[in-house]
């Protein structure tokens, strides 16, 4: 049963049996132009992912993205095109999941609302948003005064001292929690008896060693400690312990966990650690080979 396949998940998932998966857990592209695989929209522009003097000096941001305001009128369609891209795979995700089963998606803060709409429009119930509180997060917020200093506008530099351009440090990442509806006329408890999914394991969550003791147990805020082995395999790599927490929350041993966008395979490693069957799809040959070695 357990396997990792090389190819486009939008096509590969069509080969899976209907209602054969107990959980989908995936860190999908965020659509924010982080790297080439994260460019979802059609208006790419020749400067996108290029390098500027600022990128050359940076240790964290090696390629040029787009400003929030965009570079052209066409950039106003980025959010809509992300929604349309999600609709290419959400119906198949719905098909392969068992009734009452959960789906956890890391979708990013900027485009999460479009993913939510695509999932709902495909039949899913948006159950909750879990807050993953990271122990560290890189960010770049430029001081406004420095911009004015470069322009020799020292009056405005003094006036706007203490102000920045950019975002706050992104310590919070949303984990979108969806559920496939259970049959009309029955109850969720009936569904649990028939399909063995639909509830969540409070005991497993209380016993999880990934939760920070300063956070309320069984809340929708999770904080994990990132280990050295949770870095270096993929630019958006997630912690194994975080994926284990989510898997233990809604599945039992020997149930099937699917990750259609594997990246470096962390979901599959977590599933294997917990004695779950796993299925993964990855389109990048380099990452696919790394996943095989990692497993």
């Amino acid at each position: 049963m357990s396997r990792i396949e090389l190819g486009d998940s939008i096509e590969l998932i069509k080969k899976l049996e209907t209602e054969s998966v107990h959980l989908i857990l995936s860190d999908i592209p965020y659509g924010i132009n982080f790297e080439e695989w994260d460019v979802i929209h059609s208006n790419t522009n020749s400067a996108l992912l290029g390098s500027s003097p600022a990128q050359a000096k940076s240790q964290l941001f090696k390629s040029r993205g787009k400003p929030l305001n965009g570079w052209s009128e066409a950039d106003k369609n980025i959010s809509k095109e992300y929604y349309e891209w999600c609709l290419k795979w959400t119906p198949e995700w719905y098909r392969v999941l068992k009734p009452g089963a959960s789906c956890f998606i890391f979708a990013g803060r900027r485009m999460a609302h479009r993913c939510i709409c695509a999932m709902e429009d495909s039949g899913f119930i948006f159950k909750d948003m879990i807050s993953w509180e990271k122990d560290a997060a890189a960010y770049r917020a430029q001081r406004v005064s420095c911009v004015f200093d470069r322009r020799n506008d020292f009056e405005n530099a003094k006036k706007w001292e203490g102000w920045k351009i950019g975002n706050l440090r992104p310590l919070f990442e949303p984990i979108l929690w969806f559920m496939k509806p259970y049959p009309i006329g029955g109850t969720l408890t009936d569904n649990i008896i028939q399909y063995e999914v639909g509830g969540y394991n409070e005991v497993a969550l209380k016993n999880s060693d990934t939760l920070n003791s300063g956070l309320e147990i069984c809340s929708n805020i999770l904080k994990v400690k990132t280990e050295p082995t949770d870095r270096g395999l993929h630019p958006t790599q997630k912690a194994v312990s975080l994926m284990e927490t989510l898997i233990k929350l809604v599945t039992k041993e020997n149930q099937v966990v699917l990750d259609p966008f594997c990246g470096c395979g962390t979901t599959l490693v977590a599933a294997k650690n917990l004695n779950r069957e796993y299925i993964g799809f990855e389109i990048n040959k380099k990452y696919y080979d790394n996943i095989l070695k990692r497993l």
Side-chain angles (χ1 to χ4, degrees), residues 228-240:
T229 53
D230 292 322
R231 305 184 186 94
L233 298 176
H234 194 277
T236 63
Q237 186 172 347
K238 302 298 185 289
V240 172

Side-chain angles (χ1 to χ4, degrees), residues 33 52 68 104 135 162 170 173-174 178 187 214 219 226 228 237 273 289:
N33 309 307
S52 68
L68 290 177
F104 292 118
D135 50 10
E173 285 276 355
F178 300 94
T187 67
S219 75
T226 302
Q237 186 172 347
N273 290 346
D289 290 340

Side-chain angles (χ1 to χ4, degrees), residues 237-285:
Q237 186 172 347
K238 302 298 185 289
V240 172
S241 58
L242 174 61
M243 298 312 206
E244 288 179 345
T245 296
L246 296 172
I247 292 171
K248 287 187 291 186
L249 184 62
V250 295
T251 66
K252 300 169 64 178
E253 288 193 6
N254 301 312
Q255 290 186 333
V256 180
V257 178
L258 168 65
D259 185 352
F261 297 95
C262 276
C264 62
T266 300
T267 297
L268 310 189
V269 170
K272 184 176 182 179
N273 290 346
L274 297 173
N275 196 29
R276 270 66 167 177
E277 300 290 340
Y278 59 81
I279 302 172
F281 305 136
E282 175 53 44
I283 197 170
N284 183 292
K285 181 64 164 58

Side-chain angles (χ1 to χ4, degrees), residues 79-110:
S79 182
K80 180 182 178 182
E81 289 183 52
Y82 186 76
Y83 164 78
E84 293 169 346
W85 172 75
C86 289
L87 281 179
K88 292 181 179 179
W89 45 264
T90 50
E92 284 296 314
W93 285 31
Y94 185 91
R95 180 185 66 82
V96 302
L97 273 178
K98 293 181 178 293
S102 289
C103 175
F104 292 118
I105 298 179
F106 293 77
R109 295 172 302 280
R110 280 177 53 192

